[in-house]
Amino acid sequence: MSELALEKKPPTDVEPILQVRDLKKYFPKRKGIFSRVVAHVKAVDGVSFDLAKGETLGLVGESGCGKSTTGRCILRLLKPTAGEVKFRGKNVLEMSRSELLGIRRSFQIIFQDPFASLNPRMTVGNIIGEGLLIHRLGNRKERDERVKELLNVVGLDSRFSKRYPHEFSGGQRQRIGIARALSVNPEVIVADEPVSALDVSIQAQVCNLMQDLQERLGLTYLFIAHDLSVVRHISDRVAVMYLGKLVEVAESRALYREPSHPYTEALLSAVPIPDPRAKKNRIILQGDVPSPQNPPSGCYFHPRCYYATEECKFVEPELVELGGSHQVACHNYEEVGELRSKILQGSS
Ligand code: SF4
């Protein structure tokens, strides 16, 4: 088989394909004429998770919670402050430049903005074929063939390769972005809010395309979104992030059926129901997301939490296992369900 052929990588091992351990990314805040570091913005603060081969993990949270920074640290587009990112058991963060170039083929990214992420001066063929050129894959004829094949795979006409990005709609541009990510036959794709900038009807098409490609090529996705309704259908598991930390991780169905963290519950209550007659108790979170430069003491969520107790103000909750791969960081997770029904009864 040609090195350029689109192929499904066989499931190899029981080990996760990607292991992220205690990942941290702190941005220094400088002040004065000597640019002294006066504080750190803790964008990502001790994130750990595994990704199994062929799995989709949805990473969800409000804007500024650190989910995109997590994705970029995993791809080493940003240098993490601390932590480990292991791909097939090898720590990506300790690799040399040449090792990293080799492994970059296995990791690709789909960007949020299909308008800004494609170079307007390059033809679609050159955009999609750029990765092949960088990794010195195939000769010119093979690369051209591969670009045409990729355009077909993402549902576009292969004759579009000579056109420029401005000649396409948002959905078509995102398909071009997906084709570019697929060009080097990756195993893990970080999809950074890939459908946020698209109309709802187009969002569904792009999600369906990504699912089809996953089945066909055995891809593994870290699917970043700020909206739980978007990740619901595409994710096997969902990780909820708040102020640089994971607060709940669970299988998709379990999380939507019975959220154990009050923040997840609030995010879920904001997901629209397609039935206009259905009544819904929406939980409106008070206040803004606190600054990651100066996070609250104890549980970072306590100033906005319905269920906060005295302990929450001073003691930071650990992420604990609830069984069945469900993890939650909340002192009162056992009472949340009980309290929730009381609050909802009181408000009705
Ligand atoms: Fe709310 Fe306390 Fe749980 Fe934090 S630990 S989410 S403040 S109940």
Side-chain angles (χ1 to χ4, degrees):
M1 187 178 290
S2 147
E3 62 179 347
L4 292 192
L6 273 175
E7 56 178 298
K8 179 167 183 168
K9 303 260 172 37
T12 44
D13 30 46
V14 204
E15 282 268 294
I17 191 168
L18 192 77
Q19 292 169 297
V20 178
R21 290 290 173 272
D22 208 17
L23 190 69
K24 293 181 182 166
K25 178 64 189 173
Y26 298 170
F27 293 100
K29 193 161 183 232
R30 298 174 188 275
K31 221 175 171 183
I33 51 168
F34 296 112
S35 292
R36 269 192 320 118
V37 177
V38 289
H40 282 97
V41 177
K42 297 179 176 178
V44 180
D45 196 12
V47 165
S48 301
F49 60 83
D50 289 344
L51 256 179
K53 170 90 186 153
E55 181 188 35
T56 300
L57 177 69
L59 187 58
V60 184
E62 287 165 287
S63 296
C65 73
K67 50 195 190 306
S68 292
T69 307
T70 302
R72 276 151 211 256
C73 286
I74 290 170
L75 295 165
R76 264 193 67 174
L77 297 177
L78 284 173
K79 192 167 185 264
T81 308
E84 263 186 10
V85 176
K86 284 188 174 173
F87 174 70
R88 296 202 183 281
K90 275 194 105 181
N91 193 352
V92 176
L93 307 184
E94 287 174 353
M95 286 182 181
S96 63
R97 275 177 75 101
S98 57
E99 279 180 304
L100 197 61
L101 187 65
I103 210 137
R104 277 252 157 87
R105 271 187 71 182
S106 306
F107 290 108
Q108 289 295 308
I109 185 165
I110 299 170
F111 292 99
Q112 172 181 3
D113 189 342
F115 292 90
S117 65
L118 304 179
N119 187 338
R121 294 170 196 275
M122 288 170 76
T123 63
V124 166
N126 286 341
I127 289 170
I128 297 173
E130 197 179 19
L132 301 173
L133 212 56
I134 291 169
H135 291 278
R136 299 200 179 104
L137 297 173
N139 57 34
R140 194 189 180 117
K141 189 164 172 276
E142 284 171 329
R143 287 197 295 269
D144 286 348
E145 284 305 310
R146 167 73 166 185
V147 167
K148 285 179 185 159
E149 183 194 4
L150 284 162
L151 282 168
N152 284 330
V153 162
V154 298
L156 295 173
D157 193 316
S158 56
R159 288 171 299 176
F160 289 172
S161 66
K162 297 273 181 282
R163 295 193 185 175
Y164 287 86
H166 72 267
E167 298 175 63
F168 296 90
S169 67
Q172 287 175 321
R173 285 181 194 220
Q174 200 53 299
R175 285 172 190 266
I176 295 166
I178 293 171
R180 173 174 60 184
L182 291 179
S183 65
V184 289
N185 230 345
E187 294 191 68
V188 178
I189 292 186
V190 173
D192 187 5
E193 305 232 23
V195 295
S196 305
L198 306 176
D199 291 343
V200 178
S201 57
I202 309 295
Q203 285 184 359
Q205 288 176 16
V206 172
C207 284
N208 288 342
L209 171 66
M210 288 183 67
Q211 271 180 316
D212 288 348
L213 292 170
Q214 183 175 42
E215 269 172 40
R216 186 170 158 191
L217 304 170
L219 298 168
T220 305
Y221 291 141
L222 178 65
F223 194 102
I224 298 169
H226 61 262
D227 185 344
L228 269 169
S229 62
V230 169
V231 293
R232 180 172 198 151
H233 298 291
I234 200 165
S235 304
D236 300 296
R237 285 186 305 136
V238 176
V240 181
M241 201 164 173
Y242 186 76
L243 224 58
K245 292 176 184 288
L246 293 185
V247 294
E248 187 163 9
V249 185
E251 279 179 11
S252 190
R253 242 185 275 167
L255 188 108
Y256 285 88
R257 199 176 46 231
E258 214 170 327
S260 294
H261 196 282
Y263 179 57
T264 315
E265 188 187 37
L267 289 181
L268 276 175
S269 80
V271 173
I273 303 176
D275 182 356
R277 288 160 303 177
K279 262 186 103 180
K280 190 165 189 190
N281 287 303
R282 169 111 196 248
I283 299 168
I284 310 284
L285 289 176
Q286 304 301 315
D288 292 325
V289 182
S291 161
Q293 187 186 322
N294 189 19
S297 59
C299 172
Y300 285 3
F301 189 56
H302 86 256
R304 306 172 78 194
C305 182
Y306 253 58
Y307 310 103
T309 53
E310 249 342 84
E311 184 189 19
C312 305
K313 292 183 191 164
F314 306 105
V315 185
E316 189 183 331
E318 296 282 320
L319 203 61
V320 294
E321 296 275 350
L322 303 186
S325 82
H326 197 151
Q327 296 172 298
V328 69
C330 173
H331 296 305
N332 303 321
Y333 68 87
E334 281 168 331
E335 289 93 50
V336 163
E338 219 174 285
L339 289 167
R340 182 195 307 149
S341 35
K342 278 189 195 160
I343 288 168
L344 292 179
Q345 274 166 20
S347 67
S348 62

